[in-house]
Amino acid sequence: MFSSHHQCDPKLDGKIENPNQITTYFITNTIKHIAGFNGFFMAGLLSAALSTLSSELNTVGGLVYYDVILKFTKNKFIISNDALLMKIIVFVIGVLYLCIVPFVQAPHVYELTISAGSLTYGVKIGILLLAIFFTKVNSKGVICGVIVCVSFMLWMNIGAHINETNIKSHYRYQHSVTKCSIANTTGTISIEDSSWTEMTVPHNISISFNSTTQISTDIIATATTPNTTKKTKLEDIFFLYRISVFYYTLIVGLSLYSSSLSALTVIGIPYEIYHFGTHYVTCILGLLIGMFLLWYTILPVFCGNLNIKTPYEYFERRFNYQLRLFSTCVYMLHTLMLMPIVLYAPATALSHVTQIPVLASTSLIGGVCILYTTIGGFKTVIWTDTLQATLMLGSCILIAVVGVGKAGGLSEVWSKAQEGGLIHFFDMDPNPLKRITFWTSTLGMAMFHVGHSGSSASALQRYMSVPDLRQGRMSTAIGAAGAAAIKIVSLFIGLSMYAIYFKCDPKLNGDINEANQITSHFVTHTIRDFPGFNGLFMAGLLSAALSTLSSELNTIGGLIYYDILLKFFKNKFIVNRGMLTMKIIILVNGIIYLCIVPFVQSPHVYEIAIRIGGVTHGAKIGIIMLGIFFPKVNTKGLICGVITSISLMIWINIGARTYNINSYYQYTHSTENCQISNMTVRSIANMSMSANGSTTTIHTLQKPQLEDIFFLYRISVFYYALVGTVTTMLVAIVISYVTGTNDVSKIDPLLVSPWVRPYIKNQTIKNEIHMELKEKGCIET
C-alpha cells in the first residue's frame, strides 16, 4: 500500500473519508482488474468479523446465565429454559453492542482495540496468576487490585486519547500528495509538537506495555486467608453447545439441504435448463413424494433409539457383520466416484473466473475442505453446512434476479424460451426410454431423493442425531423445501442465460472452453456491472462444494474406523487414538479424491452425478428397504441383489456414454447473432462458411438412429435409481427363498418398520408355542 500510494496519500487526497478505509480502497481500486477479488476480500472480511462477534456473544450469554442469573434466582422457568434465556441474553447484548457503535468511531481501529483490551487484559491475567501462584491472596485483595488497575488504565487511556494527535505525530510516518492530481488534493499534514514534553509521563507509555502495568498493580493485592475453588463439571464447560431442540432441527434440516445441493447443482441445473428445457423442474413433485417415502419408511427406524455409532451398524444388528462391511464398501465406491466430480465442477468455474488452472483450483478447494473437516469433525460440518446453505441460496437468488433484469424482464425471458421450444412442464408420455418426461422427473427423482437423503450414510448420520421422529420429519421437510427453492431459482437462471445467449451460444462462439463453464461465464461477463457480484457467486459456488465434500469426508472417516478398522485390527494405537485415526483416514481419502479428479472431466457434470448416483443409490435403497420391510430376506440374497444391481447399472452407463444418448435430446443452439470474428466451432468434422459470413453449415459424423440403439442404453438417466432399487429387491428376494429365509423370531422389532413389527411378534409367539409343544412331546421332533 505504501508503495502504491507513495507521495499520494488517499486520505489527504480526499479519496477516502476515514483512515481505516485505506486497505479496502487499496484492494477495490488497485487490484480491481482481478475478477472476483473484491468479493473474495469482502467475504473474508465479513467472515472474520462475524466469527469474532458470534463467539463472544455466545460466551457472554453462557457466562451471564450460569455465573449471574442462576446464582441469584432459583425460578423454575429460568432453570428449565436455559437455552431460550441464553438466546435472549445474546440478543439483548448484541443490541447493546449496536447502540454503542456510534460512540467508538476512531481513525485507527486497531490501536483502539489494543487500548480497549488494555483495560481488562491485565486485570484478567493478574487474577489468574494470583489464583494460580499466590495461595494466600484473598478476594478482597484481588477486587481492590482490579479496581485500582482498571481506574489507572482508564486514566491513562483518557489522557492518551485527549493528547492523541501530539503523541502519534512523533511516531507516524509523514505522507504527502505531491504526486496526486491537484483537483482531488485537500491538504497536507502539518502538526506542531510543542506540547509533547509537557504531558504527564504515564500518558505516553507504549500501549504494548499496558497489560504488564496492570499485572504489576494486581500483585500489590495481599491477604492472609487463602481461597478455595469449586471443581467445574465437564458439562458446564461445554455449555456453548447446548442448543434447543427446534433450533437443532432447523440446523440439521439446512445441513441436509446444503449437503445434497453441491456445486453440481449451482452449475448443473442452469445448464440442464439451458440445453434440455424446463422438464426438469417438475422434479419438485418428486422431492415431495420422496419426502413422504422417507417419513413413513426409513425415518421411523433411524430416528428411534437404535444406540448405534455409525448408520451401517444397523445392518450388523439386522443381518450380520458381513452385510455391514459390504454396505460400507458400497458407500465408499459411491463417494469414490462422486466426490471427484464435486471437486471438478467448481474448479472449472474458478478457472474460468481467475485463470487459475483447473487442477490447481481443485487442489486449493479440496485442500481447504480437507483441512477444516479433519480438524473440526462432524459438529464443524453441521455448522458450516448451515452457513454455506444460506450463502448458496442467497447468491443464486441474486444471480437469478439480476439475470432476468439484464435479459429484459420476465416476459422477455419467457417469450424467448417459448420461441426456442424450452418451455415443457407436463409431457405425460409414459415411455421410460424418453430422457425426461413428467413421470421420469417425478417418480425417478423421488427415488433419487430417497437414495441421496435416505440411504446415504451422511444423511442417516444426521437423522440419528435428532431426538425423535417428529424432529426428523421436520428436518427432512426443511431440507426438501431448500432443495425445491434452489431448483426454482436455477430455473430462472437457466432461462435468463438462454435469453441473453439467444442465438449466440458461448461454447460455439469460442467464449468458453467447456460447456460446464457457461454458468460462471454468464455471471462473470453478463452481471459484471455489479461490484463484488463475481466474488459472491464464487463464494456461493465454493460453499456448495465444500458443504458436500466435508459431509462425505466426515462420514467416510467414521465408517472406515468403526466398520472396518476396529473389526479387523485390535492395535492399541487404533483403539485408544480413535479421533486421530479418523483424521488420518479423512486426510488420506481427501488426497485420493484429488488424485482422481483429472480422470473424471465431463461436459455435463450434473448428469454424470445422477448417473453415478444411479449406480449405487438403487443398491443402497434396496438394502435398507429389504431390511426394514422384508424380515425373511437373508444376507446371501442381499449381496447377490446388490452385485447384480451395480453391475447392471455400470453396464447401462457405459452403453449410454458410448452412444452419447444426450445428443439426441439436446436443444440446438446457434451463433446467428454472434460476431463472426469471434466464432470458433470445436469437435466437428468439417465446417463451411458462406462468403458473406452470414450462415454456417456444419457436417457432423454419421451416427446411428436412436431407435437402433439397444433399449437399456436408452432408458432415462432419471430412472437409474429406480431400476437399481427394483433389481436389488427382486434378486435378493428370489435368492433368499432359494437359499433359505431368515428366522423372523430372532429379529429385534426396533430394526424393522412399525408396520412389520406385529408380524414379527406373531411369528415369535408361534415359535414359542411350537417349542413348548415340542418339549411336552405333543408334536414330533
Side-chain angles (χ1 to χ4, degrees):
M1 286 195 299
F2 184 84
S3 176
S4 298
H5 301 306
H6 184 54
Q7 295 184 349
C8 185
D9 180 76
K11 177 67 171 65
L12 298 178
D13 196 34
K15 300 291 180 60
I16 57 176
E17 297 178 358
N18 192 311
N20 296 313
Q21 296 173 334
I22 189 168
T23 305
T24 53
Y25 174 80
F26 169 72
I27 291 178
T28 56
N29 290 276
T30 308
I31 318 179
K32 59 186 177 184
H33 63 279
I34 303 179
F37 204 89
N38 291 350
F40 272 126
F41 168 72
M42 288 308 302
L45 194 65
L46 295 176
S47 296
L50 293 174
S51 172
T52 303
L53 183 60
S54 61
S55 174
E56 294 300 327
L57 280 173
N58 194 52
T59 303
V60 170
L63 289 174
V64 172
Y65 178 77
Y66 284 100
D67 295 350
V68 180
I69 294 178
L70 283 187
K71 297 297 181 180
F72 289 96
T73 179
K74 300 298 181 182
N75 186 284
K76 290 184 178 179
F77 176 82
I78 292 176
I79 295 174
S80 59
N81 291 276
D82 53 351
L84 175 61
L85 283 171
M86 279 193 283
K87 294 180 193 301
I88 295 173
I89 295 168
V90 167
F91 178 77
V92 172
I93 293 173
V95 173
L96 183 62
Y97 292 165
L98 289 175
C99 295
I100 298 175
V101 169
F103 305 102
V104 295
Q105 298 183 30
H108 190 182
V109 290
Y110 186 66
E111 183 171 299
L112 183 63
T113 303
I114 298 175
S115 297
S118 69
L119 291 174
T120 56
Y121 285 162
V123 168
K124 293 182 289 184
I125 296 171
I127 294 174
L128 285 173
L129 292 180
L130 287 168
I132 293 171
F133 293 105
F134 296 84
T135 56
K136 292 187 176 183
V137 172
N138 65 11
S139 58
K140 292 179 181 179
V142 172
I143 291 173
C144 290
V146 167
I147 293 174
V148 171
C149 229
V150 171
S151 302
F152 179 62
M153 298 313 302
L154 189 60
W155 171 59
M156 287 178 58
N157 269 281
I158 292 173
H161 185 70
I162 292 173
N163 298 278
E164 179 181 12
T165 303
N166 292 324
I167 294 175
K168 289 184 179 178
S169 65
H170 281 264
Y171 300 107
R172 181 186 295 159
Y173 287 99
Q174 299 299 310
H175 299 281
S176 69
V177 291
T178 56
K179 292 186 178 180
C180 296
S181 172
I182 193 66
N184 295 331
T185 305
T186 59
T188 58
I189 294 179
S190 178
I191 299 173
E192 298 295 333
D193 54 356
S194 58
S195 59
W196 170 256
T197 57
E198 299 175 2
M199 288 186 295
T200 310
V201 174
H203 296 315
N204 56 32
I205 294 178
S206 171
I207 290 176
S208 301
F209 292 101
N210 280 352
S211 296
T212 308
T213 306
Q214 290 188 35
I215 295 171
S216 301
T217 309
D218 275 339
I219 295 178
I220 295 174
T222 58
T224 57
T225 307
N227 287 329
T228 58
T229 56
K230 193 175 182 179
K231 189 175 181 180
T232 305
K233 294 182 180 179
L234 184 63
E235 57 267 23
D236 292 334
I237 297 174
F238 292 99
F239 63 83
L240 300 181
Y241 297 110
R242 301 182 67 176
I243 310 167
S244 66
V245 172
F246 175 77
Y247 191 62
Y248 188 75
T249 301
L250 176 64
I251 297 299
V252 172
L254 289 174
S255 181
L256 283 167
Y257 142 68
S258 180
S259 294
S260 65
L261 298 169
S262 65
L264 299 173
T265 303
V266 180
I267 292 177
I269 296 182
Y271 175 96
E272 174 76 20
I273 301 298
Y274 179 82
H275 283 287
F276 299 99
T278 60
H279 301 84
Y280 178 80
V281 181
T282 54
C283 73
I284 293 174
L285 295 175
L287 287 175
L288 187 64
I289 296 171
M291 182 186 72
F292 281 108
L293 284 174
L294 288 173
W295 279 15
Y296 296 102
T297 57
I298 295 173
L299 293 188
V301 176
F302 280 88
C303 290
N305 298 317
L306 289 181
N307 191 27
I308 55 179
K309 292 185 177 67
T310 69
Y312 292 161
E313 187 179 342
Y314 164 82
F315 297 117
E316 181 177 6
R317 291 179 56 184
R318 173 65 178 82
F319 297 96
N320 52 38
Y321 173 70
Q322 284 73 24
L323 190 62
R324 175 182 178 179
L325 178 62
F326 188 71
S327 302
T328 300
C329 292
V330 170
Y331 189 75
M332 290 171 61
L333 174 65
H334 171 76
T335 56
L336 194 65
M337 293 188 296
L338 183 61
M339 289 306 104
I341 292 287
V342 171
L343 278 171
Y344 171 72
T348 59
L350 187 62
S351 174
H352 178 69
V353 171
T354 63
Q355 304 305 313
I356 300 174
V358 173
L359 294 181
S361 301
T362 303
S363 301
L364 177 64
I365 298 168
V368 170
C369 183
I370 293 166
L371 179 64
Y372 83 71
T373 307
T374 301
I375 295 173
F378 189 62
K379 187 173 291 292
T380 301
V381 169
I382 283 189
W383 283 99
T384 53
D385 277 358
T386 305
L387 297 175
Q388 289 158 356
T390 306
L391 179 60
M392 178 170 55
L393 183 58
S395 62
C396 288
I397 290 174
L398 285 175
I399 292 168
V401 171
V402 176
V404 170
K406 279 282 187 178
L410 192 58
S411 59
E412 182 69 15
V413 168
W414 202 261
S415 64
K416 285 186 177 178
Q418 284 182 323
E419 182 180 345
L422 262 68
I423 306 299
H424 289 287
F425 289 106
F426 299 101
D427 183 352
M428 308 306 288
D429 187 351
N431 183 7
L433 305 182
K434 196 170 182 180
R435 183 182 183 274
I436 187 165
T437 64
F438 175 81
W439 304 110
T440 57
S441 183
T442 52
L443 299 180
M445 290 305 292
M447 292 306 296
F448 188 88
H449 180 64
V450 172
H452 192 94
S453 300
S455 66
S456 72
S458 57
L460 293 174
Q461 194 172 19
R462 287 166 169 79
Y463 299 140
M464 288 159 50
S465 70
V466 297
D468 53 43
L469 177 59
R470 180 174 175 272
Q471 305 304 325
R473 286 175 173 171
M474 287 182 62
S475 297
T476 310
I478 292 169
I486 201 74
K487 292 181 191 302
I488 293 173
V489 172
S490 297
L491 166 68
F492 289 101
I493 294 175
L495 291 178
S496 60
M497 282 198 308
Y498 186 83
I500 289 175
Y501 299 133
F502 188 62
K503 296 183 179 180
C504 185
D505 182 75
K507 179 68 170 64
L508 295 178
N509 197 44
D511 297 326
I512 56 177
N513 297 322
E514 297 185 27
N516 293 316
Q517 295 176 333
I518 188 169
T519 305
S520 56
H521 175 75
F522 169 72
V523 174
T524 55
H525 289 80
T526 306
I527 318 180
R528 58 187 170 186
D529 298 336
F530 294 82
F533 209 90
N534 291 350
L536 180 63
F537 166 71
M538 288 307 304
L541 194 64
L542 296 178
S543 294
L546 293 173
S547 171
T548 303
L549 184 61
S550 63
S551 175
E552 297 298 334
L553 278 172
N554 190 75
T555 303
I556 280 291
L559 287 175
I560 293 177
Y561 178 75
Y562 285 106
D563 295 353
I564 299 177
L565 293 183
L566 284 186
K567 294 293 182 179
F568 288 99
F569 303 97
K570 300 300 180 181
N571 185 284
K572 288 184 178 180
F573 177 84
I574 293 176
V575 175
N576 298 332
R577 299 294 184 94
M579 290 301 296
L580 177 60
T581 305
M582 281 193 280
K583 292 179 190 298
I584 295 172
I585 295 169
I586 289 172
L587 180 63
V588 171
N589 275 277
I591 293 173
I592 292 173
Y593 297 158
L594 288 174
C595 294
I596 298 176
V597 169
F599 306 101
V600 296
Q601 300 181 25
S602 170
H604 191 358
V605 290
Y606 187 65
E607 182 170 300
I608 289 296
I610 295 177
R611 290 184 179 278
I612 290 173
V615 172
T616 56
H617 281 344
K620 293 185 295 179
I621 296 171
I623 295 175
I624 288 185
M625 291 299 181
L626 288 166
I628 291 174
F629 290 102
F630 295 84
K632 289 191 174 183
V633 171
N634 62 20
T635 305
K636 293 178 181 178
L638 272 170
I639 292 176
C640 290
V642 168
I643 292 175
T644 303
S645 175
I646 291 177
S647 302
L648 175 65
M649 299 316 300
I650 289 176
W651 173 50
I652 292 175
N653 264 288
I654 293 173
R657 290 281 292 170
T658 301
Y659 288 99
N660 193 16
I661 300 298
N662 268 348
S663 63
Y664 292 89
Y665 297 101
Q666 187 169 308
Y667 285 96
T668 303
H669 299 281
S670 71
T671 55
E672 182 180 334
N673 294 339
C674 297
Q675 292 182 358
I676 196 66
S677 58
N678 293 333
M679 189 183 71
T680 60
V681 182
R682 306 172 188 274
S683 303
I684 55 176
N686 298 291
M687 182 181 75
S688 65
M689 209 175 281
S690 65
N692 59 11
S694 59
T695 61
T696 59
T697 305
I698 299 174
H699 303 283
T700 58
L701 296 175
Q702 188 70 26
K703 62 180 181 181
Q705 295 293 320
L706 182 62
E707 293 76 14
D708 297 334
I709 301 174
F710 183 56
F711 77 97
L712 283 180
Y713 299 158
R714 292 186 283 131
I715 194 166
S716 171
V717 66
F718 299 100
Y719 271 143
Y720 280 12
L722 180 60
V723 172
T725 302
V726 172
T727 302
T728 301
M729 296 181 71
L730 287 178
V731 173
I733 291 171
V734 171
I735 298 296
S736 295
Y737 275 93
V738 170
T739 58
T741 58
N742 275 342
D743 185 354
V744 176
S745 62
K746 294 181 180 179
I747 297 175
D748 184 351
L750 289 176
L751 302 177
V752 297
S753 169
W755 297 340
V756 181
R757 288 169 191 170
Y759 170 75
I760 291 180
K761 291 179 181 178
N762 291 335
Q763 288 297 114
T764 303
I765 293 172
K766 288 181 181 178
N767 286 351
E768 289 176 354
I769 294 174
H770 180 81
M771 292 298 297
E772 185 178 350
L773 293 174
K774 185 176 176 181
E775 290 174 358
K776 293 180 178 180
C778 298
I779 58 175
E780 295 182 0
T781 303

